[in-house]
Every structure is written in C-alpha cells, then in structure tokens.
Amino acid sequence: MTKEEIQTKFVDIVNDVTGLPKEQVQPAKSLTEDLKIDSLSMVEIIYACEDEFEIAIPDDAAKSLTTVQDALDMIEGHLAQSD
Amino acid sequence: METIVITGLGVISPFGASVEDVWTAVRDGRSGIGLIDEPWAEDLPVQIAGRVHDDLSQWIDRVAQRRLDRGSQLALVAAQQAWRDAGLDQDRPDPQRVAVSVGTGIGGLQTLTDQEQILRKRGPARLSPFTVTALMSNAPAAQVGLQVGAQAAVHAPVSACASGAEAIALGVDQLRLGRADIVVAGGTEATISTFGIGAFASMGALSRRNSEPSAASRPWDRARDGFVMSEGAAILVLETLSSATARGARSYATIAGTGISADGHDMVHPDPAGLGQQQAMHKALVDADLASTDICHVNAHATSTTAGDSIEAQAIAAVLGDSDCVVTSTKSSTGHLLGAAGALETILTVQSLRHRLAPPTINLDDPEPVPINVASSATELPDGQLAALTNSFGFGGHNVCLAVTNQHAN
C-alpha cells in the first residue's frame, strides 16, 4: 500500500468517525490541538484503522500519537511488519 | 405558589414527528400499530409494535447517530420541536435558569444488545468507547440538556412506564421551588427489538394479536390480551407563568397539580384495590385545588392488559364518583410508549382541552362493564373552564397523576 493510499484511507476514517471535513485532516495537524479529536473518538479511529488496514495497534501506541503524520507513520510501520 | 404553564410541545411517535399529526390521528381513531416485518422478529411470539417510521437522519447527523442510542435520538427530535415551538430558539433564555427533566423506562437497550454482540464476537477490547454514555438512563436527559444549553440542572427520573409523567411532575416541582424558570420535560423510549419485545412478551404483558395489528390495543374491551409496545418521545416546555408572561410566550395550558404515590404491593401487578392509583389522583386534585366534579376528562393509563384496565377504571370511579367525566385511553391508537407514554398523553390531554374534544378509545367492540364513562367515539367537552387528569403507572408500583387545566391558555 502506498503512502498516498494510507493517507486517503486514514482521512476517510477520521471523517467518518468525527464528521471533520476531509480537507482539514492534513499531515502536519495535531490530532488534539488542531483537529480537537477527543479521547473517545481516538479510540474509535484506532478501531477503524485496525479493521481497515488489518493491523493490531497496542493501546500505548495510540496514546503516543500527536499529529496526523504520526498516525500515518504508525500505520505504515505496522503494515511493513505484517508484510 | 408559582403557576406553571406549558409553552412548547414536541413529539415523535408512530404518527410522525408532529404534534398536529399525532393529535389528528388519535382524534380520528387511527391506529399506529403494525406488523414488524423484519427478519429479527421472526422467532418472537409477538410481531406487532408501533414503530417510528421517520428517517432520523433528517435531524440527527451521522456521527451522533452512531454515538447515541435511538432513545436519545428520539428525545432530541422531540426536544428540538418543543424548544422552537416555545419560541426559545429566538428568546435565548439564561442557561442558568433552564433545567431538563427527561425520563426513560428502560434506557439504551439497543446499545446494550448491540455491544453485547460485539463483546461476544470480538472481545471486550472492541466495545465502543461510547457504550456507557449511550446506554445510561440519564443519556436522553443529558443530550437534551446539551442541545438546549441547560445549566440549572438535568434530571432523569426512572419509574418504568410512569417515567415521562414523573419527569413532568419533577419539572413542576423545580419551577415551584424557584430552581429554574423553564424546564424541558418529558420522556423517551426505543425498545422495539428482539430483546425488548421478547422480555416483555415473556412476562405475558404483550398482546399476541399478530393477525390484526391495528385491533391489538383495545383497552376495556373484553377480548384484550395485553399491551402493544410502541416507541417515540414526547417533550414539553414547562415554564413559570411569570417567565412566560415576561417574554410574551403562548401558553397552551396549565399544569395545575401533580400527584405521586407508590402501591407498596407488588413489582408487576397493581394493587387490586387500586388504592395507590386513587392516592395519586387524589393528591393531584388537592395540589391543583380542584374538586372531583371539576374534572371533565381523564386520559387514562389503561394499556389493554386484563387486570390493569379494570383496576384503573375502579380507581377513577372511586376518586371522581358518579360523574359524566369522559375517560379515554389514547394507547388504543398509539400503543404504549413506555417511558414516553406519560409525556405523550399529557400533550394529548392538552390538545383535548384546546379542541374541547376527548379522543376515542378505539377497538372497543365488546366493552367490559366499568363504572366510568369511556369514550368509544370522539366526545365533545363542555364550554368554559376545563380540567383534566392524566394517569401513568409503572412496574414497581409507581403511580403518577397530572392535573391539566385550560387556565392561562392563549
């Protein structure tokens, strides 16, 4: 899966869970500060990522995410492990 | 003591999301009950219910639909209507003077069963982070509080099928105690599911007249065999007369008195002597400073159960005596909205007073002899000052009676 594909899918997930417009979900944006995604929504986003990308994301990994880019890197890392 | 008036009405029921539509349907004696024509109902002994057919996405966005139990969604729809109907979207009252009192009989049953499925299939780590806030019984009240910006208080009385009426009674108390000027009050319920219908059916509480859905809810008819479960929400804006007058609000009616009692008899069966029910009605009359002869109409609790309807008829007769008061059970049309029933029936009582017309109790083909005057067709109410009672009783022995008058109606 390419970086672009990962980003497109992740943006779709964030839009689906939170209702945030897709164009706002940019890599440099902070998940909590800029996008105001609360902790419960973050749990739903992680669930959706696990299903969409067929990966297992540990609880503490999700807590260490700051930006959208962090999330994309984490997903890419998990996908690389499962290859 | 402050006079409490009703300045806003909102409803979503099997007859749609409009007070006018539910009033017209009930007045005309239509039934909101139908066959549950879905695979999940195939194994149930009861396959009839009064469902809300409206697409809730008209009012509730996609994210909220996923995070809120259906009961909360219905409450939000009704509350939004009532708030606008009262003109409060324009008048924007002080949030510190606005309270909410919205009850539910069961709570977020659909959320509970949906998440139970996830628990079984995928384990506890996959339970939705919104499970708790969706299923808790104060969720509808809290969601309505967020929607209208209430900061005085948010209450969520739970007393089974008396919840909606108790929420109104509690709202009246808050206003009289000066704790708020405006209370958004009512009830909601959404339990039409395999679990909800199955559980009530196992008690023998539900009608099994699957072959004739519209004839299944038949209070005081000899062939009645249980109630029909419906879903929906009904919300009223209660307000002190001084607040309503100050902002020039329209007033539909006055809640003149409230009466609450407990049977202290049994979890399910009403006291056969109906003493608790009589106490609730008596207390409402005293609180409203009304004589039994002042009451021209009773919107009864009567759900179409064999024992319950008879006991209530006796209790009404014991309190009101030999009067020509017109008694009706609008559940014959709407079915039983459980925790929303008391609020819906308060709205219908208000409409009856405004239109001076008691709606019919439908399906009364072979009436049981009762010592009250049951309206089998729409019956005109007299001119002048009118006062009515509406009863709500719930499993656990909860009895609530509200006295409504057309004083201060404009």
Side-chain angles (χ1 to χ4, degrees):
Chain A
M1 198 178 299
T2 65
K3 284 178 192 291
E4 288 72 25
E5 284 169 339
I6 292 172
Q7 184 171 340
T8 301
K9 286 185 176 183
F10 182 77
V11 169
D12 285 347
I13 287 169
V14 173
N15 167 259
D16 187 49
V17 168
T18 65
L20 274 170
K22 291 181 186 179
E23 60 272 17
Q24 286 186 22
V25 189
Q26 292 166 0
K29 290 284 171 72
S30 159
L31 294 161
T32 53
E33 298 295 320
D34 298 328
L35 300 181
K36 311 289 182 199
I37 298 174
D38 66 25
S39 60
L40 300 188
S41 300
M42 220 31 235
V43 174
E44 277 201 316
I45 290 169
I46 296 296
Y47 286 179
C49 287
E50 289 185 321
D51 288 348
E52 179 64 39
F53 299 106
E54 297 179 339
I55 55 177
I57 303 170
D59 286 353
D60 51 352
K63 283 183 186 131
S64 68
L65 302 176
T66 304
T67 63
V68 172
Q69 188 62 55
D70 292 344
L72 299 175
D73 291 345
M74 179 192 69
I75 294 164
E76 194 180 2
H78 280 284
L79 286 171
Q81 281 170 26
S82 57
D83 277 346
Chain B
M1 195 162 59
E2 274 278 13
T3 296
I4 311 305
V5 293
I6 298 168
T7 56
L9 304 173
V11 70
I12 182 162
S13 80
F15 295 113
S18 140
V19 171
E20 190 56 32
D21 287 350
V22 69
W23 165 250
T24 306
V26 166
R27 178 199 67 195
D28 295 348
R30 297 205 296 273
S31 170
I33 310 305
L35 196 64
I36 308 169
D37 196 11
E38 288 180 48
W40 60 259
E42 276 170 11
D43 296 333
L44 288 170
V46 172
Q47 303 191 336
I48 49 177
R51 306 196 77 184
V52 167
H53 302 290
D54 303 81
D55 178 3
L56 300 187
S57 66
Q58 299 168 69
W59 305 284
I60 311 287
D61 72 37
R62 182 169 49 82
V63 174
Q65 279 199 50
R66 205 177 54 245
R67 293 180 177 185
L68 273 57
D69 189 81
R70 183 170 173 81
S72 290
Q73 295 179 32
L74 295 170
L76 287 176
V77 174
Q80 189 181 65
Q81 267 178 48
W83 188 256
R84 287 182 182 162
D85 186 45
L88 291 166
D89 55 331
Q90 302 293 326
D91 288 353
R92 297 168 176 269
D94 176 4
Q96 297 281 346
R97 302 299 301 162
V98 177
V100 168
S101 178
V102 172
T104 177
I106 312 287
L109 192 62
Q110 192 61 52
T111 299
L112 187 68
T113 51
D114 288 350
Q115 293 301 316
E116 166 71 13
Q117 290 291 317
I118 289 172
L119 180 65
R120 287 180 183 280
K121 283 182 190 155
R122 308 196 61 179
R126 270 313 183 97
L127 288 168
S128 164
F130 296 97
T131 304
V132 173
T133 52
L135 75 80
M136 60 194 194
S137 296
N138 58 316
Q143 290 289 350
V144 169
L146 290 171
Q147 181 172 266
V148 304
Q151 292 178 358
V154 171
H155 305 280
V158 172
S159 49
C161 301
S163 300
E166 185 168 6
I168 293 170
L170 181 63
V172 169
D173 289 348
Q174 300 306 310
L175 293 169
R176 286 174 169 179
L177 288 166
R179 291 176 178 160
D181 300 325
I182 292 165
V183 178
V184 180
T188 186
E189 207 75 67
T191 51
I192 299 175
S193 65
T194 317
F195 192 104
I197 297 223
F200 277 94
S202 78
M203 303 176 78
L206 299 181
S207 170
R208 302 193 176 201
R209 197 182 284 258
N210 295 328
S211 57
E212 294 175 285
S214 63
S217 186
R218 43 196 314 117
W220 296 300
D221 186 88
R222 284 184 209 260
R224 68 188 184 274
D225 71 331
F227 75 80
V228 179
M229 187 188 290
S230 290
E231 63 180 354
I235 303 282
L236 300 84
V237 174
L238 312 178
E239 191 163 357
T240 59
L241 180 60
S242 51
S243 168
T245 306
R247 64 183 189 89
R250 170 204 44 213
S251 163
Y252 284 107
T254 296
I255 306 250
T258 69
I260 299 181
S261 76
D263 265 10
H265 171 74
D266 185 80
M267 208 52 193
V268 178
H269 305 288
D271 174 4
L275 295 178
Q277 298 181 4
Q278 292 178 38
Q279 273 301 314
M281 285 183 265
H282 181 68
K283 286 177 180 176
L285 287 173
V286 170
D287 188 37
D289 199 19
L290 290 166
S292 58
T293 49
D294 294 330
I295 303 299
C296 66
H297 171 52
V298 177
N299 187 310
H301 177 69
T303 64
S304 184
T305 61
T306 312
D309 295 4
S310 304
I311 294 169
E312 185 182 7
Q314 301 287 343
I316 291 170
V319 173
L320 298 187
D322 188 19
S323 85
D324 50 5
C325 164
V326 183
V327 182
T328 197
S329 170
T330 47
K331 288 189 183 81
S332 59
S333 285
T334 64
H336 189 357
L337 279 75
L338 309 181
L344 174 59
E345 286 152 26
T346 302
I347 289 176
L348 293 172
T349 303
V350 168
Q351 293 296 326
S352 298
L353 296 187
R354 286 184 77 76
H355 297 279
R356 295 186 186 273
L357 192 75
T361 302
I362 65 168
N363 298 319
L364 199 52
D365 301 329
D366 182 14
E368 176 182 284
V370 285
I372 53 172
N373 175 22
V374 178
S376 59
S377 57
T379 305
E380 282 184 25
L381 299 175
D383 294 333
Q385 286 289 314
L386 297 179
L389 299 179
T390 177
N391 284 336
S392 292
F393 311 135
F395 287 154
H398 307 271
N399 306 306
V400 179
C401 177
L402 304 174
V404 183
T405 73
N406 62 353
Q407 267 205 305
H408 306 293
N410 58 26

